Amino acid sequence: MKVAAVMSAAALALAACGDSGSTDTSGDGATTSGGEKVKVGMAYDVGGRGDQSFNDAAAAGLDKAKAELGVEAKEATAVDKEPESAREERLQQLIDAGYTSIIAVGFAYAPSVAKVSKANPDVHFALVDSTDAKADNITNLTFAEHEGSFLVGAAAALKSQKKHVGFVGGVGVDLIKKFEAGYKAGVQAVNKDIKIDVTYLTQPPDFSGFGDPAKGKTAAEGMYQGGADVVYHAAGGSGGGVFTAAKAAGGMAIGVDSDQALTAAPEVKDVIITSMIKKVDVAVYDFIKAESEGAFKAGEQVFDLKAGGVDYSTTGGKIDDIKAKLDDYKQQIIDGKITVPSKP
């Protein structure tokens, strides 16, 4: 009965996404070199489309592929604290519906991708942010988050008036610790004496830290009240709470994944001085384009600073005065003169 309930819930979740108006969309119908129409199944992590951050970056890549390549697409979203079987069922539901180019957004999908890809060897998978599942039909799309975070860490240090900054991580996992490590290194490259507060909203297996703005707000409030004047978040949808706290405190904030000075709620955009851009949209689009050309390639594809896979944003002009310094750091990383740590 429990298995049946999970399968039923997964089917309902998939059906609900299918009714959203953003699925089953096609143009002229892109085809593979074999003449078959490309049908993409997108499985988002917790927060889904509309999180203004990580999932939305993936959605942007899918939207571009629909517009330019004419692919069909169906979307589904993970639910907080769901069992692993629900993720597996979500992927299988997409496949059973005829979507055989599957994109799993987020490292939490690694176990389910490993299992479902083995059961469906003719289906191609793209796993974002993880190499924990590898097979001949899996492409692993990874990023040098620590390199991009170094740059916004340097920005935080250069803009801080109080010599005190903060970092809010969504969930205490190795991936998010890469953001922390790079951020700290960037701050300390500018000034080793700057104080850095660090907090994580949840610990695995609780992944709600990626979708709880209230927790993000509380964590950031504590930092601003404690003397920090710049806070960087790597917390997905929880980042909205960090921005709210920054607004109330008269502080500065740094976004993540997307250019959040463009995507955040209008009333808080002005507190965002920059964002660490993680070009998940580019990786997703490139995967779909390869599928349309019959050019699938298994294995890891790394999107680092040199490849343009990560960067920092300048929307709003709030860091124009330090852009030359940030670009110098950027070039030193690309040239190998600075090696950014990936662990705190």
Side-chain angles (χ1 to χ4, degrees):
M1 290 178 66
K2 290 182 179 178
V3 172
V6 168
M7 292 177 67
S8 176
L12 287 171
L14 187 58
C17 284
D19 291 336
S20 67
S22 62
T23 61
D24 291 329
T25 303
S26 61
D28 295 330
T31 59
T32 66
S33 57
E36 298 177 354
K37 184 179 291 186
V38 177
K39 300 183 71 174
V40 180
M42 177 79 88
Y44 296 111
D45 208 342
V46 173
R49 184 187 277 268
D51 71 347
Q52 302 175 349
S53 186
F54 178 60
N55 287 294
D56 270 358
L62 178 63
D63 290 345
K64 181 180 179 182
K66 289 192 293 187
E68 297 185 4
L69 305 176
V71 301
E72 286 190 21
K74 196 172 189 70
E75 303 171 45
T77 301
V79 178
D80 186 29
K81 298 180 182 179
E82 67 182 4
E84 185 60 41
S85 56
R87 289 181 182 267
E88 294 170 11
E89 197 61 36
R90 180 174 303 111
L91 299 179
Q92 191 61 53
Q93 286 280 346
L94 288 167
I95 295 168
D96 291 345
Y99 296 84
T100 54
S101 296
I102 304 296
I103 302 171
V105 185
F107 64 87
Y109 273 104
S112 57
V113 168
K115 185 173 181 178
V116 178
S117 65
K118 186 176 181 179
N120 298 274
D122 295 331
V123 174
H124 290 164
F125 293 81
L127 175 59
V128 181
D129 273 353
S130 177
T131 57
D132 288 342
K134 291 185 177 182
D136 291 341
N137 58 338
I138 301 175
T139 294
N140 305 90
L141 306 176
T142 64
F143 301 82
E145 296 93 350
H146 53 308
E147 293 182 352
S149 295
F150 180 102
L151 298 179
V152 299
L158 290 166
K159 298 299 286 187
S160 176
Q161 298 297 310
K162 298 181 178 180
K163 306 306 177 187
H164 187 171
V165 302
F167 172 81
V168 175
V171 182
V173 293
D174 288 344
L175 174 66
I176 305 304
K177 289 178 181 179
K178 283 176 67 179
F179 291 80
E180 178 196 344
Y183 180 67
K184 283 182 172 179
V187 170
Q188 292 171 345
V190 173
N191 185 343
K192 293 183 182 299
D193 296 326
I194 289 182
K195 183 178 179 180
I196 307 171
D197 295 333
V198 175
T199 190
Y200 285 88
L201 304 181
T202 62
Q203 295 293 328
D206 180 0
F207 291 96
S208 64
F210 290 131
D212 193 333
K215 281 192 175 87
K217 180 175 180 288
T218 298
E221 282 175 341
M223 292 180 177
Y224 290 120
Q225 290 169 3
D229 57 356
V230 186
V231 176
Y232 172 41
H233 89 87
S238 300
V242 174
F243 302 148
T244 299
K247 184 75 172 181
M252 295 173 278
I254 296 175
V256 76
D257 295 335
S258 300
D259 183 351
Q260 294 201 281
L262 297 175
T263 65
E267 63 271 18
V268 298
K269 287 182 177 180
D270 62 328
V271 305
I272 303 170
I273 60 172
T274 184
S275 296
M276 195 288 280
I277 301 175
K278 179 175 171 179
K279 298 185 180 178
V280 181
D281 57 330
V282 174
V284 166
Y285 177 82
D286 286 354
F287 169 75
I288 298 172
K289 188 172 186 291
E291 287 289 86
S292 70
E293 296 171 347
F296 172 81
K297 185 178 180 181
E300 184 177 12
Q301 295 181 27
V302 181
F303 294 80
D304 59 9
L305 198 57
K306 186 175 183 178
V310 294
D311 209 335
Y312 70 94
S313 66
T314 58
T315 299
K318 296 181 182 300
I319 58 168
D320 287 354
D321 57 327
I322 60 171
K323 187 175 184 302
K325 293 180 180 179
L326 297 182
D327 285 344
D328 180 57
Y329 280 125
K330 179 178 177 179
Q331 194 58 50
Q332 288 188 63
I333 295 170
I334 291 172
D335 292 342
K337 295 178 180 178
I338 293 177
T339 300
V340 183
S342 59
K343 295 182 179 180

